Amino acid sequence: MSKLVICEKPSVGQSIAKVLGATKRCDGYLEGGGYVVSWCVGHLVELAQPEAYDEKYAKWRKEDLPILPDRWQYRVSGSTKKQFSILKDLMFRDDVSSTVNACDAGREGELIFRLVYHQCKCSKPIERLWISSMEDSAIREGFAGLRPGTEYDSLYEAALCRERADWIVGINATRLFSCLYRQTLNVGRVMTPTLGMTVDREAAIAAFVPEPFYTVRLLADGCEAASDRFKKKSEAIALRDACKKEMETKVKAVERKEKQEKAPALYDLTSLQRDANRLLGFTAQQTLDYTQSLYEKKLCTYPRTDSRYLTDDMAGMLPRLVEKVSIAFGLNEAPPVHAAQVIDSTKVSDHHAIIPTKELQHCNFTELPKGEFAVLQLITARLLCAVGEPYRYAETTLELECAGQVFTAKGKTVLQEGWKAVQKHFFEDKSKEAAALPELAEGTVLPLASVDMKEGKTTPPKHFTEDLLLQAMETASADEFPDEAERKGIGTPATRAATIEKLVQKGFLERKGSGKVKSLIPTDKGKALITVTPEQIQSPSMTADWEEKLMQIEKGLYPAEEFMQEISGMMETMVNTYEVVKGADTLMSNVKVIGNCPHCGAEVVEREKGWFCANRECRFVLWKDNAYFQKIGKHMTAQIAKKLVRDGRVRLKDCKSQRTGKTYNASLLLSTEADGRAKFTMEFDKGGKTK
């Protein structure tokens, strides 16, 4: 008898099959050694669309809302039907006695496996592989300690609740606002509050009025000391002139304190994404993709983690791992290992922090893509820093007195580089530290080399970069619950990158800036959406509360039914009580109208994927990714679409024949089918006409 091992991706399946001895290649799976190893290729099974519940939902109408399924329906993804059939056949093979869920060890991995398992109506026993590394030794240990699948039932419940809550909010809110404002407005449980934070930030920047301030600076014995800030320029001028008259200053106080900076914590996914954005300019999604690839290449541990510590049983392996990665990255000697700084099982949830693996010593770095190597450097440097000595320094604060005012200067002397020496080995240190101050005794009188006044201005809040937005998502409820020991965030480390990408793809956010680190700026469309959506949809604190409840469901501490009732009740109330925002027509005025529909006469407006008739009963659309235009080697542009809608025809040059490869000039004529769908015909120069 064999065990059927189901992975999330073919590459992971191949790695696991190699360890298990399943070397016989078959169509969509590998076999051998008492195992059959196959894979899901992502989400094979997904929630059905509303029209699967009732044909009337094929059209978007406010009166049909809310759509709240009593019994959820699923469908096999059209692009993965072949692999689903392979898995189903394998599940029902007579020689397959049980299944092993080897999908990623997290909420979504549990969902992917279980949906396929239930869609196939399989009833064979489930065991769970739960590993944090793709190293051969970790895979062997994982299979030696497979857990009963029932231990992860609560994780599956949380995954179902997340998926279904997103469907309820997304389907109902998107249809509600799209119908009321006559354009597609995509709304999401996590996406919309994230967008809301960026809109609030830009509003704060726009409303910010810079205020000037003034300081007086003294230069004496090689050190510069500054006064407190003055709001009034006249007061700063008066102090400057008074100091110039005296042209000497007295040392009022000298204070020297020895301080230290503890080594930074190891990376979880969010902190890694933040540093990769700040230091390398990578988007959150790029960092996740690079780290996932490194994980599958056995070079780092599981990336989708929210922990920054290692478990107690890992303390013994740390010195050897640190030695191996130090050699691999060319350090003269491995840093001292203070394991206690990174070990704490109580702070590890599903997975420990991201660290490099010992396989790194066998890696040819020149064969890695640049992005992957850069992320691997970050992960390795962080491990070596995290176990290292503290950075110790002496900070001197000097107070000078002149014209009755106190001026302050600060200096720093490094006593022990500690973990910062490791960091400097990996990365150029561009930070400017305070220089050491001269040794001066209290009461010493110094001549002034110069006195001047400097003007500055208060600065507005910073635009969100991916680094700053990830931080805001992670601590979303901080403003409302500042005293909470653990602030609730919106989204999870595994989903925040996808949320940001979706906002950009849907045209609600855009990346702007000339440097490698871009700012995330809401578009007019994004601002309009936040203006018209009610508080409960865009509230980070409410979404953070939902995320907390999902975590409680994972632990079996909160009933899934209650969570779903809360989501459904909120949407039902919103649909029944929401009123159109006054002046919304002005807010939505950024929608581009290119003419009137040739079928029904309503306006044709530009949207994300094409030019659509504003009348939802009409099926007229000119797709930007137009199949007919692709056949003739052309692209549907805004200018062409506008001319077709206005005149019903457009002159095209250098069209390409698919059959002969030759080019030709022709006029393209637009008409419509009985239901409004666009119909194209060609009129050639000789007067002939063809479809």
Side-chain angles (χ1 to χ4, degrees):
M1 300 297 284
S2 298
K3 289 185 178 183
L4 172 60
V5 181
I6 299 179
C7 306
E8 201 162 311
K9 296 179 180 178
S11 58
V12 175
Q14 289 161 11
S15 295
I16 288 177
K18 182 180 178 182
V19 173
L20 297 178
T23 55
K24 181 182 176 183
R25 292 186 174 274
C26 305
D27 186 14
Y29 64 98
L30 295 155
E31 188 169 2
Y35 292 95
V36 178
V37 182
S38 192
W39 40 84
C40 286
V41 200
H43 286 267
L44 294 185
V45 178
E46 55 193 24
L47 280 167
Q49 290 300 306
E51 49 267 34
Y53 297 93
D54 193 318
E55 289 183 3
K56 68 180 182 180
Y57 295 142
K59 295 181 179 180
W60 291 24
R61 289 188 290 252
K62 180 181 180 298
E63 52 268 28
D64 291 333
L65 303 177
I67 303 170
L68 304 171
D70 293 324
R71 184 176 180 183
W72 291 90
Q73 296 184 30
Y74 286 84
R75 69 181 186 93
V76 178
S77 175
S79 60
T80 56
K81 283 184 178 179
K82 179 185 176 183
Q83 189 62 22
F84 175 82
S85 296
I86 290 171
L87 287 175
K88 187 174 182 178
D89 290 343
L90 292 174
M91 284 183 183
F92 286 96
R93 260 177 44 172
D94 291 337
D95 63 328
V96 169
S97 59
S98 62
T99 62
V100 177
N101 177 3
C103 292
D104 281 0
R107 189 191 289 172
E108 290 309 298
E110 195 68 28
L111 182 68
I112 288 170
F113 171 85
R114 298 272 191 131
L115 290 182
V116 172
Y117 179 88
H118 291 306
Q119 192 75 9
C120 292
K121 295 181 171 57
C122 184
S123 58
K124 292 179 180 178
I126 301 172
E127 292 179 290
R128 188 54 158 116
L129 175 70
W130 196 271
I131 56 177
S132 291
S133 166
M134 285 300 298
E135 293 172 281
D136 292 357
S137 58
I139 293 171
R140 279 191 289 268
E141 288 172 13
F143 272 90
L146 291 173
R147 307 297 302 167
T150 52
E151 290 187 10
Y152 299 89
D153 286 350
S154 293
L155 182 65
Y156 174 51
E157 283 290 319
L160 280 179
C161 287
R162 193 281 307 159
E163 179 188 50
R164 292 171 180 180
D166 286 352
W167 192 96
I168 288 173
V169 173
I171 292 293
N172 287 285
T174 295
R175 291 191 176 208
L176 174 65
F177 300 126
S178 298
C179 289
L180 292 175
Y181 295 105
R182 299 185 302 281
Q183 65 169 293
T184 303
L185 294 173
N186 302 88
V187 179
R189 182 182 62 87
V190 177
M191 187 174 73
T192 304
T194 301
L195 175 63
M197 289 193 290
T198 68
V199 172
D200 289 345
R201 174 61 60 90
E202 291 305 308
I205 294 171
F208 182 82
V209 179
E211 295 181 358
F213 63 85
Y214 307 88
T215 57
V216 177
R217 309 283 176 109
L218 306 180
L219 183 63
D221 200 20
C223 69
E224 185 179 70
S227 69
D228 290 337
R229 290 181 176 184
F230 292 95
K231 289 186 177 181
K232 294 181 179 179
K233 187 175 183 179
S234 58
E235 293 176 352
I237 291 174
L239 176 59
R240 180 197 64 187
D241 293 345
C243 291
K244 282 186 174 181
K245 285 181 181 179
E246 295 193 9
M247 285 309 290
E248 65 178 22
T249 182
K250 183 178 181 181
V251 179
K252 185 180 180 182
V254 179
E255 185 180 48
R256 186 179 187 273
K257 287 185 178 179
E258 289 194 11
K259 297 184 176 182
Q260 68 176 30
E261 284 183 34
K262 293 181 180 179
L266 295 169
Y267 280 132
D268 63 1
L269 178 57
T270 301
S271 57
L272 174 60
Q273 287 170 319
R274 291 187 58 198
D275 271 7
N277 178 249
R278 181 174 56 84
L279 299 173
L280 306 171
F282 293 167
T283 68
Q285 188 62 52
Q286 284 176 321
T287 302
L288 176 55
D289 291 343
Y290 292 146
T291 314
Q292 179 69 26
S293 180
L294 291 169
Y295 167 67
E296 292 173 15
K297 291 174 180 175
K298 309 178 190 292
L299 296 176
C300 77
T301 57
Y302 186 69
R304 292 171 171 83
T305 176
D306 60 358
S307 175
R308 304 189 69 176
Y309 290 86
L310 305 177
T311 52
D312 296 347
D313 62 338
M314 299 177 72
M317 52 76 73
L318 268 177
R320 184 66 176 148
L321 176 63
V322 167
E323 181 184 357
K324 288 179 182 294
V325 299
S326 297
I327 293 171
F329 272 94
L331 270 73
N332 293 328
E333 59 179 343
V337 178
H338 298 283
Q341 294 172 181
V342 298
I343 298 290
D344 190 342
S345 287
T346 64
K347 294 181 179 178
V348 177
S349 51
D350 292 336
H351 295 280
H352 58 68
I354 305 170
I355 59 172
T357 69
K358 62 180 183 293
E359 294 297 319
L360 187 144
Q361 66 181 323
H362 305 303
C363 177
N364 183 347
F365 294 147
T366 60
E367 294 179 356
L368 283 179
K370 287 183 179 179
E372 290 182 21
F373 178 70
V375 170
L376 185 59
Q377 267 196 309
L378 282 177
I379 296 169
T380 303
R382 180 52 62 95
L383 169 66
L384 300 181
C385 288
V387 299
E389 300 277 359
Y391 166 66
R392 293 176 48 246
Y393 61 94
E395 184 178 80
T396 303
T397 302
L398 181 67
E399 290 186 356
L400 304 179
E401 187 176 20
C402 185
Q405 291 287 331
V406 175
F407 297 78
T408 305
K410 287 190 175 183
K412 182 185 287 187
T413 303
V414 176
L415 303 176
Q416 175 183 279
E417 286 278 5
W419 61 268
K420 285 202 172 185
V422 177
Q423 186 166 279
K424 288 177 181 177
H425 174 84
F426 284 88
F427 309 109
E428 180 185 356
D429 187 4
K430 295 182 179 179
S431 61
K432 292 184 179 180
E433 292 189 348
L437 294 177
E439 292 187 11
L440 297 169
E442 289 183 21
T444 303
V445 176
L446 302 171
L448 293 178
S450 66
V451 180
D452 63 4
M453 180 190 71
K454 291 192 176 181
E455 179 180 348
K457 287 185 178 181
T458 55
T459 56
K462 292 182 179 179
H463 297 291
F464 273 126
T465 59
E466 232 135 319
D467 165 25
L468 298 176
L469 184 55
L470 285 168
Q471 180 187 36
M473 294 174 76
E474 190 175 33
T475 58
S477 62
D479 291 339
E480 294 191 35
F481 307 102
D483 298 324
E484 285 192 358
E486 291 189 17
R487 294 164 179 168
K488 303 169 187 174
I490 60 174
T492 66
T495 61
R496 288 173 188 141
T499 297
I500 294 171
E501 286 305 312
K502 193 171 183 181
L503 285 168
V504 173
Q505 291 167 6
K506 295 294 183 183
F508 294 123
L509 284 180
E510 56 185 340
R511 292 185 173 98
K512 284 188 173 181
S514 55
K516 65 181 180 181
V517 181
K518 309 296 184 187
S519 296
L520 291 166
I521 308 297
T523 61
D524 289 340
K525 180 181 177 182
K527 293 174 185 175
L529 175 60
I530 293 304
T531 302
V532 302
T533 51
E535 176 62 23
Q536 61 263 48
I537 287 290
Q538 59 172 286
S539 167
S541 61
M542 176 173 282
T543 306
D545 183 58
W546 287 341
E547 207 65 56
E548 177 70 13
K549 287 175 180 174
L550 287 171
M551 293 297 294
Q552 294 298 310
I553 294 170
E554 277 189 21
K555 299 172 184 176
L557 301 176
Y558 193 83
E561 298 79 9
E562 190 171 329
F563 175 81
M564 293 307 301
Q565 286 170 5
E566 182 180 340
I567 298 286
S568 298
M570 186 205 71
M571 290 311 305
E572 194 163 14
T573 300
M574 181 185 300
V575 168
N576 294 331
T577 62
Y578 180 80
E579 295 181 0
V580 173
V581 174
K582 292 181 179 179
D585 290 342
T586 304
L587 289 169
M588 303 299 174
S589 61
N590 61 308
V591 176
K592 295 177 182 177
V593 178
I594 64 168
N596 295 101
C597 176
H599 182 70
C600 71
E603 291 180 336
V604 175
V605 297
E606 183 177 5
R607 294 180 186 155
E608 182 184 357
K609 294 184 178 181
W611 293 267
F612 291 74
C613 178
N615 174 14
R616 290 199 172 274
E617 304 296 322
C618 178
R619 297 188 64 181
F620 177 79
V621 59
L622 297 175
W623 298 101
K624 291 180 179 178
D625 187 16
N626 193 287
Y628 187 91
F629 272 60
Q630 288 178 358
K631 288 180 181 179
I632 60 174
K634 307 298 287 185
H635 180 69
M636 179 73 78
T637 65
Q639 186 177 2
I640 291 173
K642 187 174 182 179
K643 193 164 181 59
L644 283 171
V645 169
R646 186 186 64 193
D647 302 333
R649 61 190 296 142
V650 65
R651 177 76 172 166
L652 298 177
K653 292 183 178 180
D654 299 324
C655 300
K656 189 173 183 179
S657 170
Q658 277 193 322
R659 185 172 60 84
T660 65
K662 294 181 179 179
T663 59
Y664 58 91
N665 300 334
S667 292
L668 182 74
L669 279 59
L670 171 68
S671 58
T672 59
E673 304 280 5
D675 60 358
R677 283 183 294 181
K679 179 182 177 183
F680 299 112
T681 54
M682 279 287 192
E683 187 177 88
F684 297 97
D685 290 345
K686 296 180 180 179
K689 187 185 289 187
T690 183
K691 287 188 178 181

